[in-house]
Amino acid sequence: GSALISAVNAIRSGMADVVLAVGFDKHPRGAFDPRPEDWGLGEEYGSDGLMVTTQFFGMKIRRYMHDHGITPQTLARVAEKAYRNGELTPQAWRRKPVSAAEILDSGMVSDPLTRFMFCSPGAGAAALVLCSPEVARTLEGPSVALRSAALRTRQFGSFEVFSPWVAGGEPTSVSRAASAAAFEEAGIGPGDIDVCQLQDTESGAEVMHMAECGLCEHGEQERLIAAGVTEIGGALPVNTDGGCIANGEPIGASGLRQVYEVVQQLRGRAGDRQVPGASRTGFTHVYGAPGVSACTVLTR
C-alpha cells in the first residue's frame, strides 16, 4: 500500500510520468516471534498474548462475534471460499478446496480461529506499472484508472497489536478511516463497487472488514456470506483470487497483489475466476495489525 501511494504521489507531483511499484517479502515458518523488549514494552505484554498475531486476531474476532452475532460457521465459510477461489488462481500456493467442516475440525489455534482459517507468512512479490493520464491515452488495450489511493494510520483508542491498551468502548477503526477517504476522493460509495479485495489475515478479518469498509452493516455478514453474496458469482465478490488465506501473506506484497487482481477482473482477464458480467468498479483494502490501512478505488 505504501509503495503504491509513493508511486501515485510521484505522478501527481510531476516528478515522473511512469512509475514501477514493487512489493516483496519473505518470512520464516511459524508465527511472528514475540519480542516485546524490542519495542520498549514490558515482558508481561508478550505473555498476555497481544504480541502474537494469532492470539491478537483471535481476541479481536471473538469480541466482534459477541457484539454482532457472527458464528464459527461463517468463519469457516469465508475460508472455504478462499480455498475454492485459490484453486482457480495459478499464483496461489493453497490450491486445494477444503470443506467448511474440515476447516472447523482442523484444530483450534486461538479461539475461535482454527488452523485452516489463517493465512501464513510466506515469500512473494508483486509489481504494478502506473502512468499519468497523458501517457495512458497513448497506450493500447483496456485501461484501468486508479481513482483514489488513501493511507491512514491508527488513532487513539484503536485495538492493535502494538497498542498498550484494550479499548473499553467501541474501538476506532483505521480501516474505516482509510476506506472513507478513498471513497470520498473517488466520488463514489461502497454501494457502487462490483468486485473487491479485503485483508483476510484470517477468516474473521474478512468478516470485520466488510463492515468497517462500509460494504455492509455490522452483523449483516452472517446472512450475506451464507447467501453466497461474496462468491465469484455473487452480488459483491470478495477476494476472488483466494486472498491472503490462499496466497499467503508476504506482507510487503499483499496490497499490490490485491490491486493486480482487481485490475485483472476489470480487464476481463481473470480466467476461471472471472466475475460474470461487465465489472466497472473495484475496491482494495489492506490492513496491518500495528494499525495501518491503505485502500484504493479503481474503475474501467
Side-chain angles (χ1 to χ4, degrees):
S2 58
L4 182 65
I5 295 292
S6 296
V8 169
N9 288 339
I11 293 173
R12 285 177 174 172
S13 68
M15 181 186 300
D17 292 322
V18 181
V19 181
L20 177 67
V22 181
F24 62 93
D25 237 322
K26 183 176 183 178
H27 300 283
R29 293 174 63 87
F32 295 137
D33 187 11
R35 297 179 183 178
E37 64 277 6
D38 292 347
W39 302 94
L41 302 169
E43 181 180 351
E44 70 281 355
Y45 192 68
S47 65
D48 288 342
L50 291 179
M51 282 292 291
V52 180
T53 51
T54 55
Q55 294 175 337
F56 165 75
F57 286 118
M59 294 169 66
K60 192 171 183 179
I61 187 58
R62 171 56 70 193
R63 173 175 175 165
Y64 192 88
M65 292 168 71
H66 172 271
D67 290 346
H68 300 291
I70 303 299
T71 64
Q73 183 67 29
T74 291
L75 302 184
R77 285 180 174 137
V78 169
E80 183 181 40
K81 171 177 67 70
Y83 292 119
R84 186 165 54 249
N85 292 352
E87 183 184 20
L88 306 176
T89 306
Q91 296 86 358
W93 72 279
R94 281 174 164 167
R95 302 194 61 203
K96 180 181 178 181
V98 183
S99 70
E102 291 177 284
I103 292 165
L104 288 169
D105 197 39
S106 62
M108 190 65 67
V109 177
S110 294
D111 189 25
L113 299 169
T114 66
R115 180 184 176 191
F116 289 171
M117 292 179 184
F118 282 96
C119 75
S120 293
L128 302 171
V129 175
L130 293 90
C131 64
S132 66
E134 292 75 21
V135 172
R137 284 192 283 269
T138 69
L139 304 177
E140 297 181 359
S143 62
V144 173
L146 182 64
R147 293 280 297 274
S148 65
L151 178 70
R152 293 293 185 272
T153 56
R154 76 180 189 210
Q155 305 168 28
F156 181 81
S158 62
F159 178 36
E160 314 291 352
V161 168
F162 298 133
S163 298
W165 64 79
V166 175
E170 181 180 356
T172 60
S173 167
V174 68
S175 297
R176 185 181 298 121
S179 59
F183 283 123
E184 181 179 5
E185 181 183 344
I188 64 175
D192 298 314
I193 297 302
D194 296 323
V195 60
C196 70
Q197 289 276 317
L198 300 177
Q199 178 79 19
D200 62 329
T201 318
E202 29 68 35
S203 297
E206 180 174 319
V207 172
M208 291 184 286
H209 292 145
M210 285 176 64
E212 289 183 357
C213 292
L215 299 168
C216 70
E217 297 296 326
H218 290 288
E220 196 176 8
Q221 303 96 318
E222 185 85 1
R223 176 183 63 81
L224 296 177
I225 291 170
V229 170
T230 60
E231 300 283 348
I232 288 176
L236 182 63
V238 177
N239 292 333
T240 48
D241 63 352
C244 288
I245 293 177
N247 289 274
E249 191 186 24
I251 296 174
S254 291
L256 297 185
R257 174 190 56 78
Q258 293 179 330
V259 177
Y260 169 84
E261 173 63 16
V262 168
V263 168
Q264 298 309 302
Q265 291 288 346
L266 296 184
R267 286 178 170 169
R269 296 176 177 175
D272 292 338
R273 65 185 187 281
Q274 179 66 48
V275 171
S279 296
R280 301 192 63 84
T281 60
F283 172 77
T284 72
H285 156 270
V286 66
Y287 162 79
V292 62
S293 179
C295 296
T296 72
V297 174
L298 302 104
T299 60
R300 176 176 60 84

